[in-house]
């Protein structure tokens, strides 16, 4: 592990290994600046798929209704006794099993909106369970934007020289937070985990993380929320309401914000790296629902056939959705070395973010029961 002075992640207007519209061109000249690269991704979804036909009868929905409104055909539920840390462990252990020769992991970042406990964070227990010893480990809470925020954080920690290889995990078990009577959220959300390795490299290396665009708007904090359980609710002095323990989302308003924010973020980032929308090989948006995905792709100017989607089979898996979609696409041979990949996400907070990278190369594929495919550089 190399140590050095810390460096905070750059602001929304300047984040990335290179800033400005000609970032990729400068990165490809072989200058050899230290940067961060994506080494591999893996994913895990628990149990058997829960198809639309198995949703509660009192919700009054059928397969056609759910598919028309969301594009989702099934989702996975963690089941009794399984928590976010368990799913994170399954995804991370499979990734690490295929990447041991690449070098040790010297930090862990876990992006989740459904931590195992309000206190402490879930990441230290995950690191210990993975046998990583006393490496630093922390949770970040950017809801469905968590994986993109995590990539930016890991990029900054690696480029600063503080760490050489970081395990980034996005995991959520929304089924534990959903109101059984709330069909609007119940049809959409699933449980899952995705893991990635972010390591030190040089500009032009396979898997280079080229640039980021991040943002937030706290005036919309109440649009996606779990009202109870935190310090704000406890400080109110009021007895907790049972309903306050459940996830709440104002769907119509969230839809408008999601489309606007992800579209704007993608446009900023494409200009920063000097990519025309037609030059994006693969567009990987947060798998919120099919209507949002189509609206963002259309506004950015990216053709439907270049959109990577995993939504139909797993639903909205929160911070896990982008790495799950990447792992699935890599396992199916959709992603090839050197491909230009654009990621974008939107979540509670409100938060949003986008990332541009070059795909790391020919994947090593591992497939076992309950596992999404694994790609390792």
């Amino acid at each position: 592990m190399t140590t050095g002075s810390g460096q905070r992640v750059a602001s929304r207007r300047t984040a990335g290994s290179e800033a400005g519209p000609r970032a990729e061109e400068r990165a490809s000249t072989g200058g050899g600046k230290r940067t961060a690269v994506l080494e591999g991704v893996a994913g895990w979804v628990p149990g058997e798929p829960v198809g639309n036909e198995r949703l509660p009868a009192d919700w009054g929905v059928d397969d056609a209704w759910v598919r028309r409104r969301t594009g989702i055909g099934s989702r996975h539920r963690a089941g009794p006794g399984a928590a976010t840390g368990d799913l994170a462990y399954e995804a991370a252990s499979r990734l690490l099993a295929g990447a041991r020769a690449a070098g040790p992991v010297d930090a862990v970042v876990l992006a989740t909106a459904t931590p195992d406990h309000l206190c402490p964070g879930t990441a230290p227990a995950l690191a210990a369970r993975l046998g990583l010893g006393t490496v630093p480990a922390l949770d970040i809470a950017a809801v469905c934007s968590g994986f993109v925020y995590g990539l930016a954080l890991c990029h900054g920690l690696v480029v600063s020289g503080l760490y050489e290889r970081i395990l980034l995990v996005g995991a959520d078990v929304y089924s534990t937070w959903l109101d059984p009577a709330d069909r609007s959220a119940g049809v959409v959300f699933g449980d899952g985990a995705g893991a990635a390795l972010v390591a030190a490299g040089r500009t032009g290396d396979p898997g280079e993380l080229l640039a980021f665009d991040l943002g937030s708007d706290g005036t919309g904090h109440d649009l996606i929320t779990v009202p109870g359980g935190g310090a704000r609710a406890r400080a109110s002095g009021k007895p907790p309401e049972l309903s306050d323990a459940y996830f709440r989302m104002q769907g119509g308003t969230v839809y408008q914000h999601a489309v606007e924010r992800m579209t704007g973020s993608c446009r900023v980032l494409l200009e920063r790296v000097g990519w025309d929308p037609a030059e994006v090989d693969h567009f990987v948006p947060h798998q919120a629902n099919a209507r949002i995905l189509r609206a963002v792709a259309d506004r950015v100017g990216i053709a439907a056939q270049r959109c990577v989607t995993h939504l139909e089979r797993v639903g909205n898996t929160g911070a896990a959705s982008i790495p799950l979609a990447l792992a699935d696409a890599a396992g199916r041979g959709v992603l090839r070395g050197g491909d230009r990949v654009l990621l974008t996400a939107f979540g509670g907070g409100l938060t949003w973010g986008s990332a541009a990278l070059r795909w790391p190369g020919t994947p090593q594929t591992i497939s076992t029961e309950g596992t999404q495919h694994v790609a390792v550089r």
Side-chain angles (χ1 to χ4, degrees):
M1 177 177 70
T2 301
T3 59
S5 60
Q7 174 180 310
R8 70 182 175 86
V9 178
S11 71
R12 181 174 185 268
R13 303 301 300 177
T14 62
S17 58
E18 297 282 352
R22 299 183 67 80
E24 188 194 11
E25 180 178 327
R26 289 201 297 273
S28 64
T29 61
K33 286 182 60 178
R34 181 183 175 97
T35 189
V37 299
L38 177 70
E39 283 193 333
V41 294
W44 168 268
V45 290
E48 296 298 320
V50 179
N52 293 335
E53 71 283 354
R54 294 175 56 191
L55 294 174
D58 58 5
W59 286 359
V61 302
D62 58 21
D63 181 66
W65 186 90
V66 176
R67 288 179 183 272
R68 183 172 62 252
R69 293 178 62 90
T70 70
I72 297 169
S74 63
R75 72 287 297 148
H76 291 250
R77 305 292 195 216
T84 295
D86 300 314
L87 273 62
Y89 171 80
E90 296 292 348
S93 61
R94 282 157 176 76
L95 177 59
L96 294 177
R100 291 293 184 192
V105 169
D106 47 18
V108 175
V109 175
L110 173 64
T112 185
T114 63
D116 287 0
H117 310 281
L118 284 177
C119 176
T122 307
L126 173 64
R129 189 173 175 184
L130 290 168
L132 300 178
T134 58
V135 300
L138 72 152
D139 292 10
I140 59 173
V143 195
C144 295
S145 304
F147 185 78
V148 174
Y149 265 59
L151 277 179
L153 173 61
C154 293
H155 176 275
L157 291 171
V158 167
V159 171
S160 73
L162 192 59
Y163 302 112
E164 294 296 313
R165 177 170 285 99
I166 302 175
L167 172 66
L168 170 63
V169 182
D172 276 306
V173 181
Y174 273 103
S175 61
T176 59
W177 290 40
L178 296 178
D179 184 343
D182 183 6
R183 76 175 187 182
S184 62
V187 301
V188 171
F189 286 93
D191 302 336
L197 283 170
V198 178
R202 296 292 173 180
T203 52
D205 281 355
E208 182 180 359
L209 300 174
L210 295 168
F212 299 90
D213 177 79
L214 305 176
S216 74
D217 180 6
T219 63
H221 71 277
D222 59 340
L223 297 179
I224 303 172
T225 184
V226 177
R232 180 67 61 190
R234 291 167 184 251
S236 70
K238 300 176 182 178
E241 298 284 344
L242 178 61
S243 60
D244 287 345
Y246 292 126
F247 175 88
R248 301 297 179 195
M249 181 170 65
Q250 299 179 35
T253 306
V254 167
Y255 177 95
Q256 296 171 4
H257 278 281
V259 173
E260 176 185 348
R261 298 304 190 180
M262 285 194 287
T263 298
S265 181
C266 286
R267 287 172 175 168
V268 167
L269 191 59
L270 288 173
E271 181 179 358
R272 183 169 297 154
V273 296
W275 292 354
D276 185 272
E279 296 176 318
V280 174
D281 295 304
H282 306 287
F283 178 50
V284 191
H286 162 55
Q287 310 286 293
N289 74 51
R291 292 186 299 150
I292 291 177
L293 272 58
R294 287 193 297 266
V296 174
D298 287 346
R299 294 187 183 196
V300 176
I302 297 176
Q305 62 267 27
R306 285 183 282 128
C307 296
V308 173
T309 60
H310 196 216
L311 179 76
E312 193 275 337
R313 286 178 283 141
V314 299
N316 181 342
T317 54
S321 76
I322 287 179
L324 276 173
L326 287 172
D328 178 71
R332 293 186 289 110
V334 173
L335 303 176
R336 299 181 181 277
D339 282 353
R340 300 180 184 195
V341 181
L342 174 64
L343 315 178
T344 193
F346 175 87
L350 300 169
T351 61
W352 58 87
S354 300
L357 64 135
R358 284 286 195 175
W359 190 247
T362 304
Q364 169 187 333
T365 302
I366 304 170
S367 182
T368 60
E369 184 179 357
T371 320
Q372 298 303 310
H373 295 286
V374 178
V376 178
R377 182 164 68 103

